[in-house]
Amino acid sequence: MTAMPEADPTLIARWAAAWAISRGAAAPVPRDGGLYIHVGTPEQVGRYIFAALDSDTIALLAAKIDQPLLYLKVCAPADAVRPLLPPGWEIAPPGYMMTAPVTAMLARPAIPGGFALTVDRQGNVIFATIADSAGNEAARGRIVTMDGLVVFDRIATAEPHQRRGLGTAVMRALAAEADAIGIHDAMLCATPVGRALYTALGWSLHSDYTTASLSP
């Protein structure tokens, strides 16, 4: 059996800090053996992030959590996390931490006719949006810089416009912004569908990323 890659704790901490900025959440703090981010939205109270599978620590924390929408995020496969959870917990579809050199994505964004790309900066968050001819959002994404790392987040294409290369165009536009400010290392958290796109753009798997929470 092939061993799954282990996450770099320092890299995960930098990603977590950038993710919190991207989502307008509190900065990560050490708590209960992991990093805790208080999100405070109707969809999510907060999340604990573990860069490694610390079985005893995770099992104790899961046993202590008594409310849904408070998530455990572990850089390990679901099969390794599941035995640590008490009854009543569920595991979300898999996620993947991925990394890439920014240079792997440096190419002119190919935007189909009738679409327009806009890039906007708000603090250290850079947004890229592609709109259709009616001005409706067709694709979007953002990056956050953190200690020499650029974190890509919320890359999405509206369903009517999928499979037209708009997601790739957003990624390339954001990579160009990162390159322009001298950042060379990129990271993101991918869904199974997103992983295929990012792999084609030169991204590599850093680690599995399993999400678990108490069922409502």
Side-chain angles (χ1 to χ4, degrees), residues 72-210:
L72 294 181
K73 308 268 185 173
V74 187
C75 294
D79 287 347
V81 176
R82 187 174 288 107
L84 309 178
L85 304 175
W89 280 69
E90 56 187 27
I91 289 181
Y96 306 96
M97 288 293 184
M98 303 186 74
T99 58
V102 168
T103 53
M105 293 172 283
L106 290 181
R108 185 180 179 86
I111 303 172
F115 292 89
L117 169 70
T118 301
V119 177
D120 179 50
R121 179 189 294 271
Q122 297 180 20
N124 62 341
V125 184
I126 300 174
F127 300 85
T129 305
I130 294 178
D132 63 17
S133 57
N136 299 314
E137 181 180 278
R140 59 173 167 79
R142 65 182 70 173
I143 54 174
V144 181
T145 59
M146 178 58 60
D147 298 332
L149 178 73
V150 59
V151 170
F152 286 69
D153 191 29
R154 288 193 162 173
I155 310 298
T157 302
E159 188 172 354
H161 301 296
Q162 291 177 358
R163 297 179 178 84
R164 304 183 70 176
L166 298 182
T168 296
V170 165
M171 296 288 289
R172 294 198 188 284
L174 292 171
E177 295 294 321
D179 183 66
I181 56 180
I183 296 181
H184 308 294
D185 299 317
M187 190 169 190
L188 57 74
C189 182
T191 64
V193 173
R195 181 181 177 182
L197 167 65
Y198 304 137
T199 299
L201 289 173
W203 291 74
S204 300
L205 177 67
H206 181 71
S207 74
D208 286 273
Y209 189 60
T210 296

Side-chain angles (χ1 to χ4, degrees), residues 55-90:
S55 299
D56 292 341
T57 299
I58 292 170
L60 286 171
L61 178 57
K64 185 171 71 172
I65 291 175
D66 61 358
Q67 60 178 315
L69 305 181
L70 185 55
Y71 294 90
L72 294 181
K73 308 268 185 173
V74 187
C75 294
D79 287 347
V81 176
R82 187 174 288 107
L84 309 178
L85 304 175
W89 280 69
E90 56 187 27

